[in-house]
Amino acid sequence: MIFTAEREKIRAVVRPSSVVDGVYDNIYHRLMSLEIAPGARIPIDVLAREIGVSQTPIREALSRLEREGLVRKEHLVGYSASPQWTRKQFEDLYAFRLLVEPEMARLATLNMTPKDLEILENAAADMGNGDAPVDRNTRYSRFARADAHFHDAILQVVGNDVISNALSSQHVHLHIFRLMFHTRVTKEALEEHEDLLSAFRTGDPQAAFDAMLIHIERSRDRLLSAFE
Ligand SMILES: [Zn+2]
């Protein structure tokens, strides 16, 4: 999961450069739109030519993407897009989410300020705005990122850095987005988020726990069809 806050943090330690930022966004979009397929090689010279910059900002952007787990670098081979999850990786990650996220939802309910609730309401609403006439790639990409943002916002309310970092290092949204290509996107996720929000609104920790558990189980079942 890459979130805005995390990306800003990463950017802050890299030397500021609008050229590198532009190149970064360009390659990021190619990865998210599957124009660069999972596992595909990323030739630096070709990218430099296509984007119209020298190889230096390309290398800098790629090393940033590598730190974020979206690309990998192999000795003598160079950069490639992170491979698609295997079924085992997917199942392991969802087992972890099922252990952690319902409890985070319960704790978030106990910590929730009106401001927090407003942030979560807005994050959930962003996901519902996916009906604009855009191509499937853009819609899925937006959906997966908005979902990641919503789940991250719940973790922020709890403020457990170990758990937030453990989840964000998995880059869930990128992988889910790529899996969504092989599945049917439904409105069910939005309804499940709504159940969660209503537990937050009424301040019912057990209802929030249950709603998150059901949401992650169903999300897993929806995406599992990608492996069949
Ligand atoms: Zn969700």
Side-chain angles (χ1 to χ4, degrees), residues 31-107:
L31 290 164
M32 289 303 278
S33 66
L34 302 195
E35 192 188 319
I36 302 175
R41 280 207 54 204
I42 305 175
I44 289 174
D45 54 333
V46 174
L47 268 186
R49 226 177 303 126
E50 284 182 13
I51 301 175
V53 293
S54 74
Q55 295 194 7
T56 307
I58 302 272
R59 286 178 199 283
E60 221 168 295
L62 283 171
S63 86
R64 194 187 287 177
L65 289 159
E66 185 192 12
R67 282 195 298 277
E68 296 176 356
L70 305 189
V71 305
R72 47 161 65 171
K73 188 185 184 185
E74 270 175 276
H75 185 56
L76 299 177
V77 177
Y79 285 100
S80 56
S82 291
Q84 187 73 275
W85 270 336
T86 64
R87 181 168 181 144
K88 180 172 188 311
Q89 286 173 309
F90 172 82
E91 286 176 348
D92 288 354
L93 190 269
Y94 267 79
F96 181 65
R97 293 189 74 185
L98 281 168
L99 279 174
V100 167
E101 291 197 53
E103 177 63 7
M104 291 300 105
R106 192 184 71 79
L107 291 174

Side-chain angles (χ1 to χ4, degrees), residues 147 150-151 193 215:
D147 185 49
F150 178 73
H151 286 261
H193 284 184
H215 173 46

Side-chain angles (χ1 to χ4, degrees), residues 140-156:
Y140 285 9
S141 167
R142 201 183 284 164
F143 189 90
R145 296 192 84 177
D147 185 49
H149 182 70
F150 178 73
H151 286 261
D152 185 52
I154 294 169
L155 299 179
Q156 296 299 323

